[in-house]
């Protein structure tokens, strides 16, 4: 199983120079991005039908960012060359796209005079840029006012919006997490250790870099261009068990992997962790695009710590996928029993009515033991691995959509948090008995949540975890919270109801 870069986007240095010149012409405002207006003006001179140009844009802008960078522009120009040559833009025909030479422009209008106007620094030239601006202007003030970052999630930075999609691997020790990453990369990453005993004792972020090296956690957490600054809240004990492994690799240009320590089973082992393990898992889960739970067919017991880890994934159920790894170590009949036992165990831990997708296979570089699994098992493994590969390939394509989805979820959570905090503030007495009133509110937090839900007609499922909220609230003086600020709430409502839809409209496929 391997992710290969296709022919589209590949070209010689001479071709790339030509494409760069055309990109400079098409980029009328000099912001380094071809947006909808730029595209409609430039590609109209290719003399293709609107339907063909619609296909060109849809294939080139696979991440649905709403713009084309130089790499995506090259893909678009190769597609234009194919369409001009009479090739139908289907998946089969696109396999030969890299062999097509750049076609001469149909007229010298392709090299019309370029405007000297530059895009202002504050201009919005992509969906992500728009979300950054909306966050800074509309959502962040609400979060700061009602301390959303202390109770629910740290404040976002630009690096959180710009980060590559992340995939986190979770499982008990020796379930093949590190081997799984090695299998996808077709090589070991710096600092990787594989063995039958617990070998990965730290959180390792495997990401793209100019050379192979390992960076300590204290260093990586303070780099402004990386989305890990929020991990400083877990203290030096965690940062000493955190590192970043960088290496140049085409897959890592698209996806970042998070390798985690094996979940332990003994109570003594659990208490020896010097940091909030489940808290760190929850932090990464909120930022990941996919969470893979790996199981070994010989170790299906779900320890108490693993149950706590899975419980910390609450709110991220749509990201969870289950991988039954090393499945070739059991015969087909036993595999079916193992599969049933795994589904039964997960059904009691994952608090969702839907069953998570389970992939069955042996994700390593060794050939499948056909004597154990038989021809049916081998075919099953190949199909399952292809399905998982397709799921991983889709992650970069869906990254922008997930950013929007997570942003909207965060905005709704911030609104509910503001309602809760202002309600608790209103319930406090003006003068005497503040300490008793605060303790009463903390003790009866479920009832207070119910009041907020009824008063503002909010869905119960969107409210935060009561126990966690109670624990954090006990360290604050409720009397110091702000009263409800309707203008801030209205600004977020307008953002959700009008500005985000308008942003998506402006950066949709310009030929739709």
């Amino acid at each position: 199983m391997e992710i290969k870069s296709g022919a589209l986007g590949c070209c010689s240095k001479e071709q790339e120079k030509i494409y760069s010149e055309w990109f400079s012409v098409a980029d009328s405002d000099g912001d380094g991005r071809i947006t909808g207006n730029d595209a409609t003006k430039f590609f109209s001179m290719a003399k293709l039908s609107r339907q063909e140009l619609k296909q060109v844009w849809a294939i080139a802008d696979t991440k649905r960012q709403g713009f084309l960078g130089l790499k995506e522009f090259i893909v678009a120009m190769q597609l234009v060359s194919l369409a001009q040559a009479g090739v139908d833009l289907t998946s089969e025909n696109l396999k030969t796209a890299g062999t097509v030479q750049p076609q001469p422009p149909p007229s010298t209008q392709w090299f019309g005079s370029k405007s000297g106007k530059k895009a202002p620094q504050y201009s919005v030239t992509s969906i992500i840029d728009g979300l950054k601006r909306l966050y800074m202007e509309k959502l962040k003030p609400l979060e700061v006012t009602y301390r959303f970052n202390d109770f629910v999630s740290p404040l976002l930075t630009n690096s959180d919006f710009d980060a590559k999609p992340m995939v986190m691997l979770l499982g008990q020790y020796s379930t093949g997490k590190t081997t799984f990453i090695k299998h996808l990369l077709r090589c070991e990453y710096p600092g990787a250790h594989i063995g039958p005993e617990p070998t990965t004792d730290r959180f390792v972020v495997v990401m793209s870099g100019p050379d192979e090296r390992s960076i300590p956690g204290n260093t990586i957490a303070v780099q402004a261009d990386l989305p890990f600054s929020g991990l400083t809240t877990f203290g030096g004990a965690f940062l000493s068990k955190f590192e970043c492994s960088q290496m140049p690799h085409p897959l890592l240009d698209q996806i970042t992997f998070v390798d985690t320590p094996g979940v332990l089973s003994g109570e003594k082992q659990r208490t020896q962790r010097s940091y909030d393990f489940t808290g760190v898992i929850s932090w990464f889960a909120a930022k990941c695009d996919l969470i893979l739970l790996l199981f070994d067919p010989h170790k299906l017991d779900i320890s108490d710590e693993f149950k706590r880890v899975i419980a910390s994934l609450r709110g991220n159920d749509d990201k969870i996928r289950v991988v039954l790894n090393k499945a070739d170590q059991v015969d087909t009949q036993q595999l079916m029993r193992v599969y049933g036992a795994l589904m039964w165990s997960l059904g009691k831990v994952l608090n969702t009515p839907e069953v998570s997708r389970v992939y069955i296979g042996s994700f390593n570089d060794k050939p499948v033991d056909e004597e154990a699994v038989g021809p049916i098992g081998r075919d099953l493994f190949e199909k399952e691995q292809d399905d998982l590969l397709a799921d991983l390939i889709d992650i970069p394509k869906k990254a922008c959509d997930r950013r929007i989805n997570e942003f909207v979820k965060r905005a709704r959570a911030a609104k509910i948090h503001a309602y809760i905090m202002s309600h608790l503030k209103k319930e406090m007495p003006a003068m005497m008995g503040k300490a008793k009133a605060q303790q009463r509110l903390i003790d009866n937090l479920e009832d207070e949540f119910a009041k907020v839900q009824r008063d503002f007609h909010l869905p119960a499922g969107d409210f935060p975890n009561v126990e966690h909220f109670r624990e954090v609230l006990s360290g604050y003086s409720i009397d110091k919270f702000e009263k409800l600020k309707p203008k801030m709430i209205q600004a977020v409502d307008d953002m959700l109801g009008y500005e985000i839809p308008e942003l998506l409209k402006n950066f949709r496929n310009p030929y739709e």
Side-chain angles (χ1 to χ4, degrees), residues 206-219:
V206 186
M207 62 190 306
S208 177
D211 53 8
E212 294 190 10
R213 59 174 176 161
S214 294
I215 307 175
N218 285 287
T219 302

Side-chain angles (χ1 to χ4, degrees), residues 12-123:
S12 65
K13 290 184 178 181
E14 291 76 12
Q15 291 173 332
E16 185 175 350
K17 183 179 179 181
I18 296 174
Y19 289 135
S20 297
E21 292 176 358
W22 290 354
F23 182 83
S24 179
V25 173
D27 182 18
S28 60
D29 53 11
D31 62 356
R33 294 172 173 177
I34 307 299
T35 54
N37 289 334
D38 294 331
T40 52
K41 293 176 183 177
F42 185 77
F43 289 117
S44 64
M45 293 180 284
K47 308 302 181 185
L48 298 178
S49 69
R50 189 175 185 84
Q51 182 61 32
E52 288 174 315
L53 291 175
K54 178 181 176 180
Q55 283 183 282
V56 167
W57 183 278
I59 297 170
D61 184 24
T62 55
K63 298 180 183 179
R64 298 185 63 185
Q65 300 175 108
F67 69 88
L68 305 180
L70 176 59
K71 183 177 179 180
E72 292 82 11
F73 178 76
I74 291 175
V75 173
M77 291 304 299
Q78 290 175 333
L79 292 168
V80 167
S81 296
L82 283 170
Q84 289 176 330
V87 177
D88 187 21
L89 301 181
T90 61
S91 58
E92 288 299 318
N93 293 333
L94 294 183
K95 292 180 181 178
T96 61
T99 64
V100 177
Q101 297 290 326
Q103 299 295 313
S107 72
T108 55
Q109 290 177 335
W110 281 82
F111 295 96
S113 61
K114 180 184 175 185
S115 170
K117 183 180 177 182
K118 298 292 182 181
Q121 292 183 349
Y122 57 83
S123 65

